[in-house]
Amino acid sequence: MPALWPVGHVFEAATKKSKEEAPTPVASPILDLVGNFTSFAGALRGFLLALVCIYVLPTDTYPAFGPAATWQWSWMQPIVVRNLCAAWTICGFWDWFLYFSPLKAKLHKYKLNPLYPEWSQFQHDAFWTTSASLTAAAIEVAMCHLWATGRVEYQEDMWATPVWNAAWILGITHWRVPHFWLIHRAMHPWKTKSVPDLGKILYKHVHSLHHRSYNPTAFSGTSMHPVESTLYYSAAFICVPFGCHPAIFLACIIDCAVGAWLGHDGFQWPGSGDYFHQLHHAHFDCNYGAVHVPLDKWFGTFAGSKGAVAKIWGRSSK
């Protein structure tokens, strides 16, 4: 029920019986049919939120439709404020609910890692997620300027090609996951001697910041070095050469943000934690992408347990 977050999650958490045992978490290398339709629903949620950001929240015209033709703080400020408010509202509420609310003790058995993070980690992650939210705002600001000045074209009437746009909208998570796998895999050691291991350098100076959150929470989702957050949110550029409406671009940014925040919360249902990615945080050299497009399965980097990680690299080193 990710598309119904947080209503379905809070209701389920409040009504679950205290004596009910938590199921053993399982990581699958590929998304099943129900999971795919759930992903479509989550992508649609992101698109609807993008429409709200474009047509409801602005007191005036959305910057891409004219005001962004000239660089003015007056049209940039609402984007920055909106992103910061969204990050702190979603991450702040969800971390409070799971880790500090009156239901904390009841929910503990659903924690993927039974230990709780130190307060210093919450502070660290909140700071860098704030930074990443500013990065997302900067990317949106830049595109608004390019659209408003006519340097980049976009489809004004999405109803002109409804099937085409529906595919872009419902498939947001699916078409951005390969981009995520690629940049994420590149920031881990490449484990090869045939070319210089730039991944080891990128990990040391960039991606290691994200891995300080080995026991992640919602604020950990986009706790990233500015280089990484720029690369992460750049997934939205995939739709730009196809002339997609700005709402699809913005929906991708929203999907990247919300997907990361909820997927890192550290709890199985009624939490939103992604056990597939939790294993990556715990064991490092596996599960670089997401199950929507099973690149880890295809490239042999999927692991469902700690022991499987050793087998992956044991085979590759022979």
Side-chain angles (χ1 to χ4, degrees):
M1 297 168 60
L4 299 179
W5 183 91
V7 177
H9 299 72
V10 172
F11 177 80
E12 185 76 7
T15 57
K16 269 184 174 294
K17 297 179 179 180
S18 299
K19 295 182 179 180
E20 182 177 327
E21 293 187 6
T24 301
V26 176
S28 171
I30 192 168
L31 201 60
D32 61 18
L33 184 62
V34 173
N36 277 287
F37 278 98
T38 300
S39 177
F40 297 154
L44 179 60
R45 173 193 60 194
F47 176 71
L48 295 175
L49 289 172
L51 292 180
V52 171
C53 292
I54 291 174
Y55 295 107
V56 178
L57 291 183
T59 55
D60 200 354
T61 306
Y62 182 65
F65 303 152
T70 58
W71 295 107
Q72 299 288 337
W73 175 242
S74 59
W75 64 263
M76 291 184 268
Q77 182 183 23
I79 294 175
V80 172
V81 172
R82 175 244 291 162
N83 280 17
L84 294 179
C85 288
W88 276 85
T89 299
I90 295 172
C91 296
F93 165 73
W94 201 228
D95 275 350
W96 170 82
F97 179 76
L98 294 174
Y99 292 92
F100 303 100
S101 77
L103 292 176
K104 169 185 173 180
K106 183 180 180 181
L107 292 171
H108 180 261
K109 60 188 172 185
Y110 302 105
K111 181 87 166 63
L112 295 172
N113 180 337
L115 300 177
Y116 277 33
E118 298 288 337
W119 177 243
S120 59
Q121 181 185 310
F122 285 101
Q123 294 173 306
H124 170 274
D125 293 352
F127 175 84
W128 287 108
T129 277
T130 299
S131 169
S133 297
L134 294 176
T135 300
I139 290 172
E140 184 181 352
V141 163
M143 277 310 306
C144 281
H145 180 69
L146 293 174
W147 282 317
T149 56
R151 296 177 187 175
V152 175
E153 296 182 352
Y154 64 90
Q155 184 182 44
E156 296 184 16
D157 181 12
M158 285 186 284
W159 289 108
T161 54
V163 176
W164 169 258
N165 285 307
W168 275 105
I169 294 164
L170 297 179
I172 286 174
T173 310
H174 289 75
W175 55 255
R176 74 170 180 82
V177 160
H179 170 274
F180 172 61
W181 187 94
L182 183 63
I183 64 166
H184 191 192
R185 182 66 190 90
M187 289 187 291
H188 276 263
W190 297 354
K191 298 182 181 293
T192 179
K193 296 181 180 179
S194 58
V195 295
D197 194 345
L198 298 180
K200 186 179 292 185
I201 298 172
L202 287 170
Y203 182 83
K204 179 180 179 180
H205 297 287
V206 178
H207 189 50
S208 60
L209 187 150
H210 182 67
H211 272 274
R212 292 179 190 175
S213 309
Y214 72 92
N215 188 3
T217 76
F219 265 121
S220 307
T222 53
S223 176
M224 299 173 178
H225 186 285
V227 170
E228 180 173 0
S229 60
T230 300
L231 290 171
Y232 181 63
Y233 283 118
S234 70
F237 290 121
I238 293 172
C239 67
V240 172
F242 298 91
C244 291
H245 190 277
I248 297 176
F249 177 90
L250 183 54
C252 182
I253 290 180
I254 293 171
D255 192 67
C256 285
V258 176
W261 296 337
L262 300 185
H264 282 77
D265 73 14
F267 286 76
Q268 60 178 311
W269 179 260
S272 292
D274 179 1
Y275 186 58
F276 177 95
H277 192 68
Q278 178 85 15
L279 288 169
H280 174 78
H281 274 265
H283 306 304
F284 184 74
D285 284 323
C286 63
N287 301 0
Y288 300 104
V291 294
H292 307 73
V293 181
L295 292 171
D296 285 292
K297 175 180 172 63
W298 297 339
F299 288 100
T301 53
F302 166 73
S305 65
K306 181 178 181 179
V309 179
K311 292 180 180 179
I312 291 170
W313 300 111
R315 287 196 301 267
S316 65
S317 63
K318 291 180 181 179

